[in-house]
């Protein structure tokens, strides 16, 4: 039998904020690790909204069977902007108390961790598990869902490249990344893009055109442009500019949108989610609270949520230089 050092008897778990592939694998690990510690586990449907509306359900081992490979979240997620108000937090806390919940695991992004921190300040032990396809969470090398999202983008780039080189085309692919260019940058490097536009590194339309033209002059059969949605230049504007300054390639555009969120989690994400979910329960039974479990090198490590929500994580611009270096 696994030993529980902190007198915790009953925990609750939610998936919150933007959904990410691997949330289900994390949920499964939380539930089954908790059961191994002889804890009762309650799942909260629809995140803080569901907590406020008392949507809690007791979960057993079989309830999380057959979900490790599923994208999205079986608990569902929701957004509740009012959760930043203390009165609303207190109402939610009252529901946790009503069900005699001793501690809470929140699987989600930066906003969800802010909500967890607020509940900690009101006296509820909490542990966070980072899940966000943007990889914008400080305190972990990778968040759950990032690897799957990169692979989804790469799959699209590879398919588009086949048709691009058959027709001597430039293809622009718009990815997610409103404030953070991590996904676009990684997809740009591993997809072999000629140009990548991210919020952290503004470039002009003239510069985009110059680089695409350079690819043509060097005899490339195609050019791939990756544009993060928050790069500061609209994809349509790039397409129009390149059409107006025509020099050889035909140009087409693909906006990936929500396909980047979905799909079965990759092996990396399943493993990461499983380790983090397990680690979160270990933290709780060891008496840790207000921490997020993260990947630090090859280890799982707990970091204070206070640090997570007060530090920015932005894309590493050394990778940007690498894209330029290799696109020759
Ligand atoms: P993510 O967790 O993916 O970053 P959001 O930023 O939308 O997604 O946050 C998810 C939910 O977390 C919000 O709908 C809200 O209920 C809660 N939340 C976000 N920010 C705060 C905050 N500052 N204080 C308390 N709760 C918050």
């Amino acid at each position: 039998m696994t030993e529980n050092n902190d007198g915790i008897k009953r925990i609750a778990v939610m998936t919150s904020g933007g959904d990410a592939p691997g949330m289900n694998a994390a949920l499964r690990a939380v539930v089954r690790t908790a059961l191994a510690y002889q804890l009762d586990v309650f799942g909260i449907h629809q995140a803080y909204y569901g907590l406020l509306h008392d949507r809690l359900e007791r979960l057993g081992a079989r309830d999380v069977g057959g979900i490790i490979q599923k994208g999205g979240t079986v608990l569902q997620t929701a957004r509740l902007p009012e959760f930043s108000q203390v009165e609303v937090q207190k109402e939610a806390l009252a529901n946790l108390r009503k069900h005699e919940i001793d501690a809470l695991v929140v699987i989600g992004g930066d906003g969800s961790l802010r909500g967890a921190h607020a509940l900690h300040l009101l006296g509820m032990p909490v542990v966070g598990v980072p899940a966000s396809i943007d990889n914008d969470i400080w305190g972990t090398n990778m968040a759950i869902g990032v690897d799957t999202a990169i692979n989804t983008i790469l799959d699209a780039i590879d398919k588009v490249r086949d048709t691009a080189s058959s027709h001597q085309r430039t293809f622009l692919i718009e990815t997610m990344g409103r404030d953070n260019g991590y996904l676009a940058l990684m997809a740009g490097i591993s997809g072999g893009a000629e140009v990548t536009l991210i919020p952290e590194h503004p470039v002009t339309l003239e510069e985009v055109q110059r680089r695409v033209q350079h690819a043509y002059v060097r005899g490339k059969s195609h050019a791939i442009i990756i544009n993060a949605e928050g790069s500061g230049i609209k994809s349509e504007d790039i397409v129009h500019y390149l059409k107006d300054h025509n020099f050889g390639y035909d140009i087409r555009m693909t906006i990936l949108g929500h396909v980047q969120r979905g799909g079965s989690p990759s092996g990396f994400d399943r493993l990461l989610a499983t380790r983090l979910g397990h680690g979160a329960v270990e933290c709780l039974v060891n008496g840790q609270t207000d921490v997020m479990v993260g990947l630090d090198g090859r280890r799982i490590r707990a970091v204070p949520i206070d640090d997570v929500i007060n530090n920015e994580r932005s894309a590493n611009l050394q990778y940007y230089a690498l894209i330029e270096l290799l696109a020759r």
Side-chain angles (χ1 to χ4, degrees):
M1 193 184 93
T2 316
E3 207 173 327
N4 172 0
N5 296 324
D6 205 51
I8 286 176
K9 291 192 177 60
R10 182 172 284 192
I11 69 165
V13 54
M14 68 163 75
T15 52
S16 173
D19 62 305
M23 278 182 157
N24 285 324
L27 171 69
R28 170 181 176 273
V30 167
V31 170
R32 292 194 177 165
T33 305
L35 293 173
Y37 278 106
Q38 318 288 314
L39 305 176
D40 293 340
V41 192
F42 280 70
I44 303 169
H45 293 267
Q46 298 171 334
Y48 295 113
Y49 176 87
L51 176 56
L52 203 62
H53 293 84
D54 207 13
R55 295 190 184 154
L56 279 73
E57 178 200 12
R58 179 105 181 239
L59 294 177
R62 296 288 74 75
D63 295 317
V64 289
I67 66 169
I68 196 167
Q69 80 288 8
K70 284 191 177 159
T73 156
V74 295
L75 281 182
Q76 297 192 302
T77 176
R79 290 209 157 87
L80 180 71
E82 302 81 33
F83 203 69
S84 51
Q85 299 163 22
V86 156
E87 290 317 310
V88 179
Q89 295 161 7
K90 283 185 177 163
E91 236 179 283
L93 182 71
N95 277 341
L96 289 172
R97 298 261 188 250
K98 187 174 88 183
H99 291 281
E100 299 180 343
I101 305 292
D102 301 311
L104 174 67
V105 176
V106 174
I107 303 166
D110 189 72
S112 305
L113 295 169
R114 285 175 198 275
H117 183 61
L119 287 173
H120 157 80
L121 293 177
L122 294 175
M124 174 59 51
V126 295
V127 172
V129 175
S132 153
I133 64 165
D134 295 319
N135 216 24
D136 55 353
I137 305 173
W138 187 90
T140 185
N141 299 153
M142 291 284 271
I144 295 168
V146 178
D147 183 67
T148 306
I150 292 174
N151 282 306
T152 301
I153 297 170
L154 287 180
D155 191 43
I157 295 175
D158 291 348
K159 286 180 173 140
V160 156
R161 179 185 280 107
D162 287 347
T163 168
S165 47
S166 305
H167 292 272
Q168 285 251 316
R169 276 180 182 154
T170 294
F171 248 99
L172 182 148
I173 298 171
E174 183 181 296
T175 67
M176 284 188 172
R178 213 165 285 150
D179 309 306
N180 187 299
Y182 185 90
L183 269 187
L185 206 48
M186 294 305 132
I189 290 181
S190 39
E194 272 62 40
V195 188
T196 302
L197 292 90
I198 56 170
E200 295 89 338
H201 190 278
V203 293
T204 61
L205 284 169
E206 292 78 13
E207 175 66 9
V208 175
Q209 198 264 350
R210 191 189 63 73
R211 286 204 232 157
V212 174
Q213 182 147 25
H214 200 207
Y216 186 75
V217 169
R218 278 170 298 154
K220 290 196 171 192
S221 59
H222 62 267
I224 303 284
I225 303 172
I226 307 292
N227 187 32
E229 61 185 329
S231 73
I233 305 187
K234 288 203 187 102
S235 297
E236 295 82 3
D237 293 346
I238 298 174
V239 171
H240 287 140
Y241 190 87
L242 291 180
K243 277 191 172 153
D244 289 348
H245 296 75
N246 203 348
F247 51 85
Y249 294 131
D250 201 9
I251 171 138
R252 295 284 191 282
M253 172 174 83
T254 300
I255 296 179
L256 295 183
H258 280 83
V259 296
Q260 293 162 93
R261 275 201 184 286
S264 182
S266 65
F268 181 92
D269 273 331
R270 293 184 203 194
L271 186 57
L272 178 66
T274 299
R275 293 180 72 199
L276 292 177
H278 172 261
V281 176
E282 297 251 291
C283 282
L284 284 178
V285 297
N286 288 324
Q288 283 181 282
T289 175
D290 200 28
V291 292
M292 180 194 82
V293 282
L295 182 65
D296 176 18
R298 294 165 66 177
R299 290 182 319 137
I300 300 300
R301 190 168 71 99
V303 289
I305 293 182
D306 209 20
D307 289 346
V308 176
I309 60 182
N310 286 305
N311 281 292
E312 288 271 321
R313 181 191 170 132
S314 53
N316 183 344
L317 290 182
Q318 283 178 356
Y319 287 123
Y320 198 86
L322 188 58
I323 291 184
E324 283 194 50
L325 180 88
L326 298 179
R328 46 184 70 232

